[in-house]
Amino acid sequence: MEKFKSFGGENPAYDRSTDEPPHYEETSFASTNGNVYSNGEHREVRPSVVSAFGHDTLDRVPNIDFYRNAGSVSGHRAIRPSLQELHDVFQKNGPISVLDTVDDEEESQGTPTDDLESVVPIENKGGFVKFGWIKGVLVRCMLNIWGVMLFIRLSWVFGQAGWGLGVVVILLSCVVTTVTCLSMSAICTNGLVRGGGAYYLISRSLGPEFGGSIGLIFAFANAVAVAMYVVGFAETVVDLLKDYSAIMVDELNDIRIIGCITVVLLLGISVAGMEWEAKAQIVLLIILLVAIVNVFVGTFIPATKDKKSKGFFNYDSNIFLENLPPAFRDGETFFTVFAIFFPAATGILAGANISGDLKDASAALPKGTLLAILITGVTYLGIALCVSSAVVRDATGNVNDTIAMGVSCVNSTAVSACNLGYDFSSCAVNTCKFGLMNNFQVMTMVSGFGPLIIAGTFSATLSSALASLVSAPKVFQALCKDNIYSALRFFAKGHGKNNEPIRGYVLTFFIAVAFILIADLNIIAPIISNFFLASYALINFSCFHASYAKSPGWRPAYKYYNMWLSLIGAVLCCGVMFVINWWAALLTYVIEILLYIYVKVKKPNVNWGSSTQAVTFVSAVSNALSLSGVEDHVKNFRPQLLVLTGSARIRPALLDLAHSLTKNYGLCLTCEVFVGQRAEVIQQLNSGMETNQLWLNKNKRKAFYAAVACDDFRSGTETLLQGSGLGRMKPNTLMIGFKRDWRTIEPIDVHSYVGILHDAFDFEYGTVVLRMNQGLDMSHFIEAEEEAMRAEQEQLALENEVMGEEKGKGLFRKSKKSSKQVLTSRVSVTSPQSPQAMKVNERLVEASTQFQKKQPKGTIDVWWMFDDGGLTLLLPYILTTRKKWKDCKMRIFIAGQPGRTEEDKVEMKSLLAKFRIKCNDINVISDINVKPTSESWKSFEDMIEPFRLHEGSKDRAQAEALRKDNPLKISDAELDTFDEKTNLQVRLNELLQENSRAANLVIVNMPIARKESVSDYLYMAWLDILTKNLPPTLLVRGNHKSVLTFYS
């Protein structure tokens, strides 16, 4: 293929011979190293094409490759042109190119970023064995459903429950499985299905919390099911040994020995690979079908004397009617019988469990599973009813227990047998070995050729055991690949062309052996019934939940489902769980809840677009709309903060204190304003949105990140103040850091900062300013850290490139040297600093983490000078309720009149008691109106000296011109006008230093400057002198609307 080098004349990408434009290798691309990205992706660039529209364009026609997920295992993910590429200023005669395809790494290591939802590979390069709906789903489901119960326990179930309730048992099982299958069909046709079966369906619908908990339980249930089917097989073999007096040890231990040998052989078949396992399943299916036909044929063959003595009399209406009502014995009930039978129906997920090995899982699963339920349900009913109409409940097996026709039997449980000439009345006193109730091998007796039933029993049990032995590791491997439980990561690795979970097979083997040692089918069956029912309940609930969320992404191709039917199915499954065994159901849910909590706390790094997210969004919108219809009430007031942190990492102390105030109970917006032309900053803004929010989430800061791009900082902040929030969920308090460098920056920046405070007051925001002596801005540290990381990444990329070059060309030393040079140049910002600078930086770093730590015992000093609605008092109270601040006590300072100190203290104490705010230390400052000391005043004068106009020494015209040219500076007239207010700020600082130097946090009312009366520099001087040389200080001014009340 021709390599694309430059553009000129006719677009060289235009290929007249085909509608599909050619691909071209990339010649240069920002932040790449050749065509290899840091994440291992190989990318190509396709230039603009003369498309179906007849002109040169970057736009692409719709294509499936654009919709593959990132990290697609399919290896071919196309990238459509971005909106910015299409929208950017057109450069005439300039090159037009766009990133087009991504070839992801061929081998996935199963990290959470792997695309488990992408389509199957286009080319079957590895020789994978993929199954269609018949071989992969229908055959597997039928074999798994026609399990141990068909030939060994079905007659016993109908003997205990009678065929009336027996039919109910089968139909109830079919209802549960059919509803579950309808739900599963809807889920698996709502997108492409990968490996993992029930775990995959539930986790992708309800999220990793539900999927992770039920996945572990479901994999374990399948492992235990192996033991159940193998024990059923071993029971049949032991019965044969008993007939020929060939018992090895005793019946119980023989079941264990045969079971362990069997599971070893099954493990060998499974490890050999899916192809061998599939061939074995076909052979077993043929044997099983012949055996089933053999049962039906046998019911028409005239019964011999031996068979009659064992209770088989061919079809008889009296036997059929006699077997209609239940005859529960040995403590059995309808629900215990149902519990033993129900695992026979659990095979419906046999196809889903190997969903990763199906050619088209979305089409195969609904079709194959529903047909399997229908065929097996009819088979179970047919065989059970045939046997119930031909075999009595109890028989002695003695050919001499005959009576004359018409003679009645005494205390006989089989009246119909008496009518047919057999007296089984001894069974009422002694336990008999034959009949529906006593002989688990009734099917062998009824059949036309007994050995075929034995072969069918072997086939049914072994095929089901084999299916479960394959299912458990496959589901477990999918769970481990998603890294939900990091401790189980070891089992994610696959082997061979089909990625066989060999380690999972071994683990399943040991679990199965452990349960085989129980050697009692009636004990093992109820254990797994609850686990399977829990899985079915969640599959049904997943379908209901996804439908209820009404997400536009819920578009299942399978339409024959109903959300309310799915909910009924989920409730039915839960109900059946408790009916079968209430304590086992509780145990199942306790285990599931504990696993759910573990995954919830661990927060795995996955995002599958679950219906839980959709419902959360719907609930949030609904709640926000509900709030908008309710007027605000002072009792429900809480500070909703708009915090001007810049990037989320730049001012950690400001963010940490804001987070302490809002925590999980209030709104906190961390905001950033990008100053500059929108075209220049928009890319940085867009890329930072997700990065900053992820950083907040990762560092457990319950806050939202918001950013705007504007020509100046004040305009951006004004936009945020007016437009942030949703309905009642909008900020009511602005939080900002104090601008410590106001004396050295440009006047326009000072004007912008003060203007923001004026805007906050205009929009009736509460306003909070945090000052820390060490400062708040950590941007230079973060820039140095990012620069070092970039240098390290670039060095690694260069060294990787070198390693890829051919050896012996002399390139290694040269490239290695250049990589070192890059690293040296990049980290120049971290070069050694002076001891004084290092000390300042150490203090800044320490101060930046001050509010992350638990605060030592101390005080929060609240200087409540002016009534601002109560925000100045509410904020420190909220802090004292937080765990990190619980050892800090509030001290209240108020202004009082001389001679009324005690009265003012009593009044404030009474007010605090009505507000239900505890504070034992109230201080009344009665000398606040005293003039500040000369030293303090001199310090203030020195602070404002560079910004004074001194127009008083000039004539009137010059003074007016001076004020007009320097509106931000301080005039003599202004100083005279606000002399008392200035004195108050200086005096307050003296009192603060005298009383609150040891406080953990100082909160003081922020002075307000009248617009167009107080200059920006004078206002900044007030704020500066007020908070000078103090511990961390919050300047607070509420919006003068009550945020506290003493009414209930």
Side-chain angles (χ1 to χ4, degrees):
M1 184 178 290
E2 179 188 358
K3 306 296 182 183
F4 173 66
K5 296 297 182 184
S6 62
F7 290 91
E10 183 185 39
N11 189 334
Y14 179 39
D15 185 353
R16 299 181 183 275
S17 63
T18 177
D19 290 335
E20 176 64 25
H23 288 71
Y24 298 91
E25 288 191 1
E26 176 186 18
T27 55
S28 64
F29 197 83
S31 74
T32 69
N33 181 23
N35 286 355
V36 181
Y37 278 62
S38 60
N39 60 0
E41 292 179 342
H42 173 74
R43 304 189 179 213
E44 295 178 333
V45 165
R46 178 165 65 187
S48 60
V49 297
V50 177
S51 66
F53 303 104
H55 63 276
D56 189 20
T57 178
L58 281 179
D59 263 331
R60 297 288 185 260
V61 294
N63 190 301
I64 189 173
D65 291 338
F66 292 138
Y67 295 90
R68 301 194 196 281
N69 287 353
S72 170
V73 297
S74 65
H76 296 277
R77 176 170 63 93
I79 298 178
R80 68 175 63 83
S82 69
L83 187 61
Q84 283 73 24
E85 288 170 324
L86 295 174
H87 190 235
D88 274 348
V89 177
F90 178 70
Q91 297 178 359
K92 191 172 182 181
N93 299 323
I96 305 175
S97 62
V98 60
L99 195 65
D100 186 67
T101 63
V102 176
D103 289 333
D104 296 313
E105 293 178 326
E106 290 185 5
E107 291 189 14
S108 168
Q109 299 303 317
T111 58
T113 57
D114 282 349
D115 170 31
L116 298 178
E117 291 76 45
S118 64
V119 298
V120 296
I122 296 172
E123 296 182 34
N124 197 351
K125 295 179 182 177
F128 296 159
V129 178
K130 295 291 181 182
F131 304 112
W133 73 272
I134 295 177
K135 198 173 180 180
V137 182
L138 179 63
V139 170
R140 286 177 181 280
C141 288
M142 287 196 304
L143 283 171
N144 220 11
I145 296 172
W146 283 334
V148 65
M149 299 299 167
L150 181 60
F151 296 120
I152 297 179
R153 287 294 187 275
L154 184 60
S155 58
W156 177 86
V157 168
F158 271 64
Q160 290 277 356
W163 65 264
L165 288 180
V167 170
V168 174
V169 167
I170 294 177
L171 290 180
L172 181 58
S173 300
C174 288
V175 166
V176 172
T177 54
T178 302
V179 172
T180 304
C181 184
L182 294 176
S183 300
M184 181 190 73
S185 300
I187 295 171
C188 68
T189 57
N190 190 52
L192 294 162
V193 178
R194 301 290 298 169
Y199 158 71
Y200 183 90
L201 298 177
I202 294 170
S203 62
R204 269 49 176 186
S205 294
L206 293 178
E209 296 85 2
F210 282 106
S213 57
I214 205 62
L216 209 55
I217 291 173
F218 187 70
F220 179 75
N222 273 285
V224 177
V226 176
M228 183 186 76
Y229 296 124
V230 169
V231 167
F233 167 78
E235 280 187 7
T236 307
V237 175
V238 168
D239 285 340
L240 285 174
L241 294 176
K242 193 164 54 175
D243 291 341
Y244 293 97
S245 301
I247 296 295
M248 293 177 285
V249 183
D250 56 59
E251 290 187 26
L252 196 65
N253 284 309
D254 281 10
I255 290 173
R256 291 168 178 160
I257 293 168
I258 294 167
C260 291
I261 294 171
T262 304
V263 81
V264 169
L265 295 174
L266 292 176
L267 179 65
I269 295 173
S270 301
V271 171
M274 289 294 293
E275 194 170 0
W276 281 96
E277 188 264 350
K279 290 176 181 177
Q281 294 278 28
I282 294 296
V283 173
L284 293 172
L285 176 64
I286 294 171
I287 296 172
L288 189 54
L289 289 173
V290 172
I292 291 171
V293 172
N294 187 37
V295 173
F296 287 109
V297 170
T299 58
F300 291 98
I301 298 174
T304 62
K305 284 186 178 181
D306 181 62
K307 287 187 176 182
K308 287 181 179 180
S309 69
K310 294 178 180 179
F312 174 57
F313 295 95
N314 294 111
Y315 292 106
D316 188 277
S317 59
N318 291 327
I319 295 176
F320 190 61
L321 293 174
E322 186 177 85
N323 288 334
L324 171 61
F328 296 114
R329 300 178 192 172
D330 303 324
E332 300 293 347
T333 64
F334 171 81
F335 297 110
T336 59
V337 170
F338 177 80
I340 291 170
F341 174 80
F342 185 76
T346 57
I348 65 166
L349 293 180
N353 290 338
I354 63 159
S355 54
D357 296 297
L358 300 175
K359 291 178 183 175
D360 185 358
S362 299
L365 288 175
K367 192 190 309 180
T369 309
L370 283 170
L371 189 56
I373 291 173
L374 176 63
I375 294 172
T376 54
V378 170
T379 305
Y380 269 113
L381 283 172
I383 291 178
L385 291 174
C386 286
V387 172
S388 296
S389 62
V391 183
V392 296
R393 281 191 168 104
D394 296 288
T396 59
N398 188 344
V399 295
N400 296 319
D401 287 343
T402 58
I403 58 174
M405 297 291 288
V407 178
S408 62
C409 301
V410 181
N411 297 327
S412 177
T413 57
V415 177
S416 57
C418 286
N419 297 333
L420 295 171
Y422 280 82
D423 182 10
F424 298 144
S425 57
S426 61
C427 293
V429 180
N430 301 315
T431 303
C432 293
K433 295 183 178 180
F434 298 96
L436 294 176
M437 301 287 280
N438 310 301
N439 184 13
F440 291 151
Q441 302 299 329
V442 166
M443 299 298 180
T444 305
M445 178 187 66
V446 170
S447 66
F449 183 60
L452 267 180
I453 297 302
I454 295 171
T457 304
F458 291 172
S459 175
T461 52
L462 293 178
S463 63
S464 298
L466 193 57
S468 296
L469 187 57
V470 170
S471 297
K474 291 280 186 182
V475 172
F476 192 57
Q477 183 187 36
L479 173 67
C480 297
K481 273 190 172 183
D482 287 340
N483 206 23
I484 303 296
Y485 304 101
S486 53
L488 302 177
R489 181 77 178 148
F490 173 78
F491 296 97
K493 185 174 177 58
H495 297 80
K497 63 183 181 181
N498 258 42
N499 198 31
E500 296 292 344
I502 304 297
R503 297 170 180 176
Y505 284 132
V506 174
L507 179 64
T508 304
F509 167 77
F510 283 113
I511 294 172
V513 168
F515 279 87
I516 285 171
L517 297 178
I518 296 174
D520 189 338
L521 193 63
N522 288 10
I523 293 176
I524 299 173
I527 292 175
I528 62 173
S529 290
N530 275 309
F531 286 167
F532 280 117
L533 279 166
S535 304
Y536 293 173
L538 276 182
I539 289 175
N540 283 303
F541 184 73
S542 298
C543 181
F544 165 76
H545 203 258
S547 303
Y548 177 77
K550 291 183 173 58
S551 171
W554 174 249
R555 303 183 301 275
Y558 187 82
K559 301 299 182 184
Y560 303 104
Y561 75 96
N562 180 274
M563 61 181 286
W564 300 111
L565 185 62
S566 296
L567 181 61
I568 291 170
V571 173
L572 182 62
C573 290
C574 294
V576 170
M577 286 178 66
F578 282 95
V579 163
I580 288 175
N581 191 322
W582 67 268
W583 63 264
L586 285 178
L587 181 63
T588 302
Y589 279 112
V590 167
I591 294 171
E592 188 176 330
I593 289 169
L594 290 176
L595 291 172
Y596 177 92
I597 293 171
Y598 171 81
V599 178
K600 189 77 173 176
V601 171
K602 185 177 177 288
K603 288 184 172 59
N605 184 27
V606 294
N607 182 9
W608 295 319
S610 66
S611 61
T612 305
Q613 295 172 346
V615 169
T616 301
F617 178 83
V618 171
S619 299
V621 172
S622 177
N623 291 335
L625 289 171
S626 298
L627 275 177
S628 65
V630 179
E631 290 187 13
D632 289 330
H633 194 282
V634 63
K635 285 196 297 183
N636 294 323
F637 176 86
R638 61 189 70 217
Q640 316 274 26
L641 301 181
L642 190 155
V643 192
L644 293 178
T645 58
S647 176
R649 301 173 59 193
I650 286 181
R651 293 174 177 82
L654 186 64
L655 176 60
D656 292 334
L657 189 58
H659 180 250
S660 295
L661 290 169
T662 56
K663 208 70 174 175
N664 297 324
Y665 314 108
L667 177 67
C668 181
L669 292 177
T670 62
C671 300
E672 183 172 11
V673 177
F674 289 89
V675 178
Q677 294 295 320
R678 186 170 61 182
E680 297 173 0
V681 299
I682 194 67
Q683 186 175 357
Q684 186 181 358
L685 184 150
N686 290 336
S687 62
M689 293 295 286
E690 185 175 356
T691 304
N692 281 282
Q693 189 62 57
L694 286 173
W695 186 90
L696 289 170
N697 296 341
K698 182 179 178 182
N699 289 273
K700 299 180 180 179
R701 297 293 181 267
K702 307 297 183 182
F704 300 97
Y705 174 79
V708 294
C710 279
D711 292 336
D712 63 85
F713 185 68
R714 182 179 180 182
S715 298
T717 306
E718 187 177 353
T719 301
L720 290 167
L721 289 170
Q722 294 183 84
S724 298
L726 180 68
R728 300 287 182 191
M729 295 289 295
K730 61 185 301 183
N732 53 32
T733 305
L734 171 69
M735 192 168 182
I736 190 172
F738 179 70
K739 203 162 190 65
R740 294 169 65 241
D741 58 351
W742 65 274
R743 283 179 282 179
T744 57
I745 59 176
E746 294 295 325
I748 188 64
D749 294 326
V750 175
H751 179 67
S752 176
Y753 181 84
V754 174
I756 289 170
L757 299 180
H758 285 305
D759 292 338
F761 295 142
D762 284 342
F763 297 130
E764 295 190 339
Y765 271 68
T767 307
V768 179
V769 178
L770 172 64
R771 177 170 186 177
M772 299 181 71
N773 286 332
Q774 298 83 358
L776 297 169
D777 192 346
M778 298 283 292
S779 57
H780 56 291
F781 286 99
I782 294 167
E783 288 171 4
E785 179 185 338
E786 291 176 347
E787 192 74 17
M789 288 179 64
R790 281 195 295 269
E792 184 180 356
Q793 289 174 356
E794 189 166 335
Q795 181 182 13
L796 287 173
L798 286 169
E799 289 179 355
N800 288 337
E801 183 183 13
V802 167
M803 296 301 291
E805 296 285 345
E806 293 182 2
K807 294 182 179 179
K809 290 189 177 182
L811 295 176
F812 183 79
R813 290 183 179 178
K814 181 179 179 182
S815 297
K816 191 169 184 180
K817 181 179 179 182
S818 65
S819 68
K820 287 183 177 179
Q821 289 173 345
V822 168
L823 182 60
T824 303
S825 64
R826 285 297 186 97
V827 298
S828 60
V829 291
T830 60
S831 57
Q833 301 170 327
S834 66
Q836 184 178 2
M838 289 179 64
K839 194 170 183 179
V840 170
N841 286 336
E842 286 175 6
R843 288 177 180 173
L844 176 56
V845 171
E846 184 179 356
S848 69
T849 61
Q850 180 169 340
F851 299 128
Q852 295 175 11
K853 308 169 188 173
K854 189 176 188 300
Q855 300 299 304
K857 285 188 177 181
T859 63
I860 299 176
D861 287 359
V862 183
W863 291 71
W864 198 13
M865 300 288 102
F866 314 106
D867 193 331
D868 59 349
L871 186 65
T872 305
L873 187 62
L874 180 63
L875 293 183
Y877 167 75
I878 291 174
L879 285 178
T880 58
T881 64
R882 306 306 188 214
K883 190 175 180 180
K884 290 178 182 176
W885 293 84
K886 68 176 183 179
D887 292 334
C888 297
K889 306 299 180 185
M890 282 176 57
R891 292 199 304 172
I892 306 294
F893 293 84
I894 59 171
Q897 298 178 14
R900 278 184 48 87
T901 301
E902 290 302 319
E903 291 86 341
D904 290 337
K905 183 181 290 189
V906 169
E907 287 179 4
M908 178 53 63
K909 194 170 185 179
S910 173
L911 180 60
L912 293 176
K914 288 183 177 181
F915 286 149
R916 302 169 304 286
I917 293 177
K918 292 182 180 179
C919 180
N920 297 324
D921 193 356
I922 300 173
N923 299 274
V924 180
I925 308 298
S926 58
D927 58 346
I928 197 169
N929 56 351
V930 176
K931 285 194 173 185
T933 61
S934 56
E935 291 82 3
S936 298
W937 186 254
K938 178 70 166 55
S939 175
F940 176 75
E941 286 186 328
D942 291 342
M943 182 185 294
I944 65 172
E945 180 60 31
F947 313 106
R948 292 188 61 181
L949 294 177
H950 291 293
E951 81 283 9
S953 59
K954 303 194 172 42
D955 59 45
R956 186 172 180 179
Q958 286 181 320
E960 286 294 332
L962 202 58
R963 280 194 290 266
K964 187 175 181 181
D965 294 339
N966 301 277
L968 305 182
K969 291 195 173 183
I970 307 168
S971 66
D972 294 342
E974 181 185 358
L975 275 179
D976 292 339
T977 304
F978 296 103
D979 178 58
E980 292 181 354
K981 199 162 188 176
T982 303
N983 284 336
L984 176 62
Q985 313 313 320
V986 180
R987 175 59 180 159
L988 267 177
N989 179 257
E990 290 179 345
L991 294 169
L992 284 162
Q993 294 197 46
E994 181 182 334
N995 294 279
S996 298
R997 286 291 293 270
N1000 289 8
L1001 181 67
V1002 177
I1003 297 179
V1004 60
N1005 280 123
M1006 182 167 68
I1008 295 179
R1010 290 190 177 276
K1011 291 186 292 185
E1012 300 181 5
S1013 297
V1014 178
S1015 64
D1016 294 340
Y1017 279 107
L1018 180 59
Y1019 189 39
M1020 290 301 300
W1022 285 354
L1023 301 182
D1024 196 341
I1025 197 65
L1026 177 60
T1027 56
K1028 187 178 179 181
N1029 298 328
L1030 291 175
T1033 303
L1034 276 182
L1035 290 168
V1036 180
R1037 175 65 73 160
N1039 63 0
H1040 287 248
K1041 293 179 181 178
S1042 295
V1043 299
L1044 295 170
T1045 181
F1046 47 81
Y1047 294 107
S1048 60

